[in-house]
Amino acid sequence: MQDFKSFSSKVSNLKSEDFESLALEIFYFQSSRNPIYKAYLDARNITPRSIHSLQEIPFLPIRFFKDFHVLSGAKEEFEGFFSSSGTTGMITSKHYFWSQKWYLEHSKRLFENLYGSLEDFHVLALLPAYLERKGSSLVAMADYFIHESKSDHSGFYLYNQEELLDKMKLLANGPKKVLLLGVTFALLDLAESGQKFFPMENLIVMETGGMKGRRKEMIREEVHDILISYFQVPAIHSEYGMTELMSQAYSKGKGKYTLPTCMRVLLRDVNDPFSWSNRSQGGINVIDLGNFHSCSFIETQDLGKYDENGMLEVLGRFDNSEIRGCNLLVQ
């Protein structure tokens, strides 16, 4: 537990120039304290002390969170776990956390670094599929944002579209900004409901990804065009997060993400998971130092690329990967 407290402080106060040194410190810690990661390294005949740079660190396939308890410590040191959504019969991921309070404060800090104080917002969370099950990290985060906004108007919405639109009309062009945080299929359902929307100058629409089998998959540009047209906003914002990560990245438009100080993305060759891509596009390997208690080095099933300005774009999912709750939009 003392190790977790130490790492939590380091991650919370991390400067970008110190990222690699802390990443290596966490790697050495997890390679000895995490039985699943240690076994994975042993299976690949990798000696942890032979690793001296980010590019040399092995990444754990995200599937391991479905099949094992990925813990860098004794199970009794953990408060609980977040679980992913899935269709009937699908094995879901479990990500144990040592402190939900730290996770929530960490998520708030990452959001406010980009968007300013939550007290400047009314937070309206349109997350029907996530609210209908237990264990969602996204619902926990949204609930905390609602609380921290200190607004009586903030709250959750399921399928009550008229009530949501009435609330947004009431808050239109007021002194506070309105954050509409929604799962993609629910935002599209609202946009195509035929109900009139009154333009709001103080509105931010943020999609979290996810069709959850409710609608056919669509390319991001098509989704964003529909939402921009309905909500009459200049851009659709996006949140990139998942059960297996403690940190979130945000896009203020066009699917281009700003990574927080505690997160890096390296792109691997799509045909060889142990090699780095020699192009600007590839499979996304995430280093999330917020995962100091589990595994910070995750080989995801997402595809991405870096644009000419070094901004990350998330392109979608590998064709043969399982659909998960926050399934990304394939371009």
Side-chain angles (χ1 to χ4, degrees), residues 4 26 32 42 166 191:
F4 295 162
I26 290 174
S32 63
D42 290 344
D166 287 343

Side-chain angles (χ1 to χ4, degrees), residues 4 8 12 18 22 44 49 79 81 90 102 112-113 128-129 134 150 171 175 193 257-258 262 265 274-275 281 316:
F4 295 162
S8 70
S12 298
D18 298 324
L22 182 56
R44 289 184 55 187
R49 288 295 167 181
E79 289 183 358
F81 60 85
M90 183 183 292
W102 185 86
E112 291 188 335
N113 283 344
K134 295 181 179 180
K150 296 181 170 58
L171 301 175
S193 67
Y257 287 88
T258 299
C262 61
V265 166
F274 301 148
S275 299
Q281 181 171 318

Side-chain angles (χ1 to χ4, degrees), residues 47-91:
T47 303
R49 288 295 167 181
S50 69
I51 304 298
H52 301 293
S53 70
L54 296 183
Q55 288 73 21
E56 295 173 320
I57 294 175
F59 286 73
L60 187 73
I62 201 167
R63 170 77 199 195
F64 278 62
F65 283 85
K66 293 181 182 290
D67 298 329
F68 305 100
H69 296 163
V70 183
L71 309 173
S72 290
K75 193 173 180 180
E76 55 266 23
E77 294 182 83
F78 293 78
E79 289 183 358
F81 60 85
F82 294 124
S83 59
S84 64
S85 57
T87 57
T88 302
M90 183 183 292
I91 300 172

Side-chain angles (χ1 to χ4, degrees), residues 20-22 34 38 55 83 111 129 138 212 220 224 240 284:
E20 184 162 5
S21 62
L22 182 56
N34 185 324
K38 183 179 185 300
Q55 288 73 21
S83 59
F111 177 88
L138 177 60
K212 293 188 63 61
R220 174 180 50 77
H224 285 202
Y240 180 61
I284 289 180

Side-chain angles (χ1 to χ4, degrees), residues 120-135:
D120 294 333
F121 286 87
H122 305 291
V123 179
L124 310 179
L126 182 61
L127 303 170
Y130 294 90
L131 287 168
E132 293 167 317
R133 66 177 182 84
K134 295 181 179 180

Side-chain angles (χ1 to χ4, degrees), residues 106-118 120-121 145 177 204 206 237-240 248-253 256-261 311:
H106 177 63
S107 298
K108 176 186 176 183
R109 182 168 50 252
L110 299 187
F111 177 88
E112 291 188 335
N113 283 344
L114 276 180
Y115 289 96
S117 173
L118 278 165
D120 294 333
F121 286 87
F145 283 11
K177 291 172 280 189
I204 292 175
M206 180 179 290
H237 297 229
S238 304
E239 180 252 3
Y240 180 61
Q248 305 81 35
Y250 293 97
S251 164
K252 292 188 175 183
K256 296 178 185 291
Y257 287 88
T258 299
L259 298 180
T261 307
M311 295 287 286

Side-chain angles (χ1 to χ4, degrees), residues 16 41 61 74 84 93 103 123 144 153 185 192 222 225 233 252 260:
S16 58
L41 297 176
S84 64
S93 294
Y103 164 71
V123 179
Y144 189 65
H153 297 291
F185 81 82
E192 297 174 352
E222 184 180 1
D225 284 348
V233 289
K252 292 188 175 183

Side-chain angles (χ1 to χ4, degrees), residues 5-283:
K5 290 180 178 178
S6 175
F7 281 133
S8 70
S9 177
K10 291 178 181 180
V11 171
S12 298
N13 297 288
L14 183 64
K15 297 179 180 179
S16 58
E17 60 266 27
D18 298 324
F19 182 92
E20 184 162 5
S21 62
L22 182 56
L24 287 168
E25 183 183 351
I26 290 174
F27 166 71
Y28 298 135
F29 169 76
Q30 293 178 346
S31 66
S32 63
R33 289 288 302 276
N34 185 324
I36 300 303
Y37 192 42
K38 183 179 185 300
Y40 178 71
L41 297 176
D42 290 344
R44 289 184 55 187
N45 295 314
I46 292 170
T47 303
R49 288 295 167 181
S50 69
I51 304 298
H52 301 293
S53 70
L54 296 183
Q55 288 73 21
E56 295 173 320
I57 294 175
F59 286 73
L60 187 73
I62 201 167
R63 170 77 199 195
F64 278 62
F65 283 85
K66 293 181 182 290
D67 298 329
F68 305 100
H69 296 163
V70 183
L71 309 173
S72 290
K75 193 173 180 180
E76 55 266 23
E77 294 182 83
F78 293 78
E79 289 183 358
F81 60 85
F82 294 124
S83 59
S84 64
S85 57
T87 57
T88 302
M90 183 183 292
I91 300 172
T92 58
S93 294
K94 288 184 179 179
H95 191 182
Y96 284 79
F97 52 82
W98 75 284
S99 168
Q100 181 162 306
K101 180 176 184 289
W102 185 86
Y103 164 71
L104 296 174
E105 291 175 346
H106 177 63
S107 298
K108 176 186 176 183
R109 182 168 50 252
L110 299 187
F111 177 88
E112 291 188 335
N113 283 344
L114 276 180
Y115 289 96
S117 173
L118 278 165
E119 293 187 28
D120 294 333
F121 286 87
H122 305 291
V123 179
L124 310 179
L126 182 61
L127 303 170
Y130 294 90
L131 287 168
E132 293 167 317
R133 66 177 182 84
K134 295 181 179 180
S136 166
S137 57
L138 177 60
V139 168
M141 183 184 80
D143 185 56
Y144 189 65
F145 283 11
I146 288 168
H147 176 267
E148 291 298 294
S149 72
K150 296 181 170 58
S151 166
D152 292 336
H153 297 291
S154 294
F156 283 105
Y157 292 83
L158 277 163
Y159 301 102
N160 41 340
Q161 295 176 342
E162 289 187 18
E163 183 181 344
L164 173 60
L165 291 173
D166 287 343
K167 178 66 72 174
M168 294 176 75
K169 185 177 180 181
L170 174 67
L171 301 175
N173 308 319
K176 280 192 172 189
K177 291 172 280 189
V178 176
L179 173 64
L180 176 59
L181 178 68
V183 62
T184 306
F185 81 82
L187 290 173
L188 285 170
D189 286 349
L190 178 59
E192 297 174 352
S193 67
Q195 300 188 71
K196 183 174 177 57
F197 181 78
F198 295 89
M200 302 172 60
E201 293 182 3
N202 58 337
L203 175 64
I204 292 175
V205 179
M206 180 179 290
E207 53 97 2
T208 67
M211 292 300 188
K212 293 188 63 61
R214 308 293 182 94
R215 302 174 64 108
K216 68 178 180 67
E217 295 299 323
M218 299 165 63
I219 62 172
R220 174 180 50 77
E221 289 90 347
E222 184 180 1
V223 171
H224 285 202
D225 284 348
I226 292 170
L227 298 181
I228 286 171
S229 176
Y230 180 71
F231 291 108
Q232 301 179 52
V233 289
I236 299 299
H237 297 229
S238 304
E239 180 252 3
Y240 180 61
M242 60 185 75
T243 300
E244 299 86 356
L245 301 178
M246 289 286 106
S247 304
Q248 305 81 35
Y250 293 97
S251 164
K252 292 188 175 183
K254 298 183 178 179
K256 296 178 185 291
Y257 287 88
T258 299
L259 298 180
T261 307
C262 61
M263 183 185 287
R264 295 277 176 89
V265 166
L266 285 69
L267 301 179
R268 68 181 184 274
D269 189 293
V270 295
N271 297 310
D272 180 2
F274 301 148
S275 299
W276 298 117
S277 175
N278 56 12
R279 301 161 50 195
S280 61
Q281 181 171 318

